Amino acid sequence: MSNETGTEKSPQIITALARGLSVLRCFGKGDRFLGNQEIAARTGLPKATVSRLTQTLTALGYLNHSKRFNQYSLGVAVLSLGYSLLGNSDILKAARPLMQELADHAEASVSLAARDGLHMVYLENCVAHANMITLRIDVGARTRIANTAMGRALLCGLPEQERSELIAEIRQATAREEWPAIKAGIEQGAVDYREKGFCFSLGDWRENVNSIAVPLIHADGTVQAINCGGPSWQLSAEKLEHEIGPRLIEISRRLANL
């Protein structure tokens, strides 16, 4: 699937830079090495273009080249960018103790995530100290907006036009037979947020996993999401709604004022 977007047609966008970043974004969890052919398939870029980009990114330290496999892996320079983002975030510094407190109380996992295209990227994940069964999700992991509580919460926090545009993108990227269920989940999320202040995912993201999420709307209009999730036998819908949800709302309010 192509990662190129219509933004490349904008006169304000440097096409070469956008394409180079699309190469780096190809690498997901479990992708230790990728070759030019696979990168070309994922980005929709010509293989000759990909070859020039990977050589440039390797020279700059953003990719490493394996002569043995004739493939590429992410370089240390990519990690330094992510470290700067996470290390300099006042929101994360303030969020960690609040999230850890809730994780320990709920004996579950509490995460903070931001949008990346049609996915949510985990910026922080706190797990209960006393429970070894909680979800352990790595910082930097990605999950779909379409069928997750945090994705639905993000949608609810966006301005109307931006929300409509994102839903249209999700529909375009979703298989026709999957769309009715995805649409129903998004619409139910909007109802839950309007009536209760949070969104649910009850086995929608992963079977036997329940979660609840709220949007985190910053003063500058940036929207992120905070969720709490765990095994369904441990986090019932009733517990999420009456016990966890109000605590998430309070955390969101405290962080939004920073």
Side-chain angles (χ1 to χ4, degrees), residues 67 82 106 127 133 160 162 164 176 193-194 196 227-228 256:
K67 293 182 179 180
V127 297
I133 308 179
E160 183 176 353
E162 189 175 349
S164 297
R176 180 176 299 180
Y193 181 67
R194 184 170 60 250
K196 303 172 183 178
N227 86 328
C228 178

Side-chain angles (χ1 to χ4, degrees), residues 132-211:
M132 301 303 293
I133 308 179
T134 52
L135 296 174
R136 296 180 181 274
I137 302 174
D138 295 332
V139 171
R142 289 152 52 93
T143 187
R144 294 172 64 192
I145 290 175
N147 62 342
T148 59
M150 62 170 52
R152 292 165 183 167
L154 175 94
L155 286 167
C156 291
L158 293 175
E160 183 176 353
Q161 181 176 347
E162 189 175 349
R163 178 170 61 252
S164 297
E165 292 173 352
L166 179 51
I167 291 174
E169 290 182 39
I170 292 172
R171 180 172 186 175
Q172 185 176 13
T174 301
R176 180 176 299 180
E177 62 273 15
E178 295 180 6
W179 175 244
I182 296 294
K183 180 183 178 183
I186 291 174
E187 292 176 345
Q188 185 60 52
V191 172
D192 290 334
Y193 181 67
R194 184 170 60 250
E195 296 180 351
K196 303 172 183 178
F198 34 72
C199 302
F200 299 92
S201 173
L202 305 177
D204 301 328
W205 171 61
R206 188 180 296 174
E207 188 177 3
N208 299 321
V209 172
N210 289 346
S211 62

Side-chain angles (χ1 to χ4, degrees), residues 200-247:
F200 299 92
S201 173
L202 305 177
D204 301 328
W205 171 61
R206 188 180 296 174
E207 188 177 3
N208 299 321
V209 172
N210 289 346
S211 62
I212 187 171
V214 298
L216 172 54
I217 306 172
H218 300 289
D220 63 359
T222 302
V223 181
Q224 298 174 332
I226 308 175
N227 86 328
C228 178
S232 55
W233 56 263
Q234 183 175 320
L235 293 180
S236 65
E238 292 75 16
K239 181 176 181 178
L240 290 175
E241 178 176 352
H242 300 294
E243 184 178 334
I244 308 302
R247 288 174 177 260

Side-chain angles (χ1 to χ4, degrees), residues 75-151:
V76 175
V78 174
L79 178 61
S80 66
L81 292 176
Y83 180 80
S84 297
L85 168 66
L86 298 177
N88 294 320
S89 173
D90 292 335
I91 293 297
L92 287 179
K93 292 175 183 176
R96 287 183 187 110
L98 300 176
M99 293 169 59
Q100 188 63 59
E101 182 181 3
L102 178 56
D104 288 334
H105 170 81
E107 295 188 336
S109 172
V110 178
S111 304
L112 172 64
R115 179 191 172 192
D116 178 25
L118 300 182
H119 293 80
M120 299 296 290
V121 176
Y122 287 83
L123 304 179
E124 183 61 280
N125 178 245
C126 297
V127 297
H129 289 127
N131 191 336
M132 301 303 293
I133 308 179
T134 52
L135 296 174
R136 296 180 181 274
I137 302 174
D138 295 332
V139 171
R142 289 152 52 93
T143 187
R144 294 172 64 192
I145 290 175
N147 62 342
T148 59
M150 62 170 52

